[in-house]
Amino acid sequence: MIGGQTCTRACRFCSVAHDRKPAPPDPAEPEGLAQAIAEMRIAYAVITVVNRDDMDDEGAAHYRACLDAVHRTAPAVGLEFLGSDMAGNEPALAAMLDGAPLKVFAHNVETVERLTHNVRDRRASFRRSLRILEASRELRPDLMTKSSIMVGLGETDQDLTAAMQSLRGVGVELLTLGQYLAPSPNHYPVAAFVTPERFEAWAAEATAMGFLAVAAGPMVRSSFRAGTLYDEAVRRRDAGIL
Ligand code: SF4
């Protein structure tokens, strides 16, 4: 996770510390991140961020510097960027994505539209998140686009179907579905523990809708086997499945 330890948002499910005026990003972070990834000797990395609503460019230039530094130091590592909604700042998104050394642009809608206002920070919206995903496809159609939904927050099957259809509607190709677990009693409460069978049914539904690769299960998180999910999506795309 880059951009600092503190997020300018305060989603009710999230345990990241928050502050409306966090410290500026560490200028040494890009090189430090690149060194860490090189030392890990991994093939694929998911780089995520805290929201930086305090910055004019929503942190875009810093995020991009981090991606570029990793690619310079470890060019063989596949990169997935799990970004914020950039507060809807599409010029900043465009500057960050232009030529960025990425395989996947991801942004999580986190929950279904009906629950978004309760679960996520009030500055987030389901429609803004959809638009950021759609804009990423318009800007970089060569990248795969990915999103994630937590379940067990009180959504219905109909809510989830509508959310998945909305994601497909803006061209999202990779999807993860996982069980929400509250980080503490002060966070948003768990409404249900979803059975593995329901996850399987939703995964089948998502695949039938045209998602290229789906990871769904109680232990799945947005970065779950991310490199494998990407490879599966490429295989299916190249086989003409979507
Ligand atoms: S924007 Fe992301 S990091 Fe920030 S509080 Fe919400 S979920 Fe946590």
Side-chain angles (χ1 to χ4, degrees):
M1 188 172 79
I2 60 171
Q5 303 288 319
T6 310
C7 185
T8 49
R9 304 267 173 106
C11 300
R12 292 190 60 203
F13 63 87
C14 178
S15 61
V16 172
H18 60 93
D19 186 347
R20 282 180 180 259
K21 288 265 175 230
D26 177 1
E29 189 170 50
E31 290 308 325
L33 175 73
Q35 283 306 323
I37 288 178
E39 283 170 24
M40 283 188 236
R41 298 178 184 276
I42 51 179
Y44 193 93
V46 180
I47 297 174
T48 190
V49 306
V50 289
N51 260 71
R52 294 297 315 221
D53 299 293
D54 56 315
M55 299 175 73
D56 288 343
D57 73 346
E58 326 302 329
H62 181 77
Y63 303 154
R64 176 59 185 273
C66 288
L67 296 173
D68 287 343
V70 174
H71 188 63
R72 266 196 314 274
T73 306
V77 176
L79 292 181
E80 176 171 323
F81 181 71
L82 172 55
S84 69
D85 67 6
M86 311 287 287
N89 185 341
E90 292 186 27
L93 177 73
M96 196 205 66
L97 284 180
D98 184 27
L102 287 173
K103 292 187 183 304
V104 174
F105 175 83
H107 170 66
N108 293 344
V109 293
E110 312 286 10
T111 184
V112 298
E113 183 164 17
R114 183 174 60 82
L115 297 177
T116 295
H117 195 56
N118 297 339
V119 170
R120 295 172 71 190
D121 185 278
R122 295 296 168 104
R123 285 163 285 178
S125 81
F126 190 83
R127 292 289 139 184
R128 172 177 280 175
S129 288
L130 282 184
R131 176 58 201 152
I132 283 294
L133 289 158
E134 183 178 51
S136 79
R137 287 203 60 78
E138 292 163 2
L139 292 160
R140 288 290 303 272
D142 57 312
L143 302 183
M144 292 274 187
T145 309
K146 177 175 175 181
S147 196
S148 299
I149 302 174
M150 299 174 293
V151 296
L153 286 155
E155 68 288 325
T156 64
D157 282 349
Q158 289 84 349
D159 288 331
L160 194 60
T161 297
M164 295 192 296
Q165 282 170 337
S166 295
L167 290 170
R168 278 302 300 135
V170 295
V172 172
E173 295 150 315
L174 295 111
L175 177 71
T176 72
L177 303 172
Q179 171 70 50
Y180 169 63
L181 297 174
S184 83
N186 298 324
H187 286 81
Y188 199 84
V190 175
F193 290 99
V194 176
T195 63
E197 291 73 26
R198 273 184 89 196
F199 277 109
E200 276 174 33
W202 286 333
E205 185 181 347
T207 302
M209 280 182 197
F211 286 98
L212 279 173
V214 180
M219 303 303 285
V220 169
R221 298 294 176 263
S222 60
S223 303
F224 182 83
R225 295 184 185 158
T228 304
L229 204 68
Y230 169 75
D231 289 342
E232 183 188 334
V234 169
R235 261 196 314 278
R236 285 168 58 87
R237 182 193 62 194
D238 293 349
I241 288 168
L242 188 66

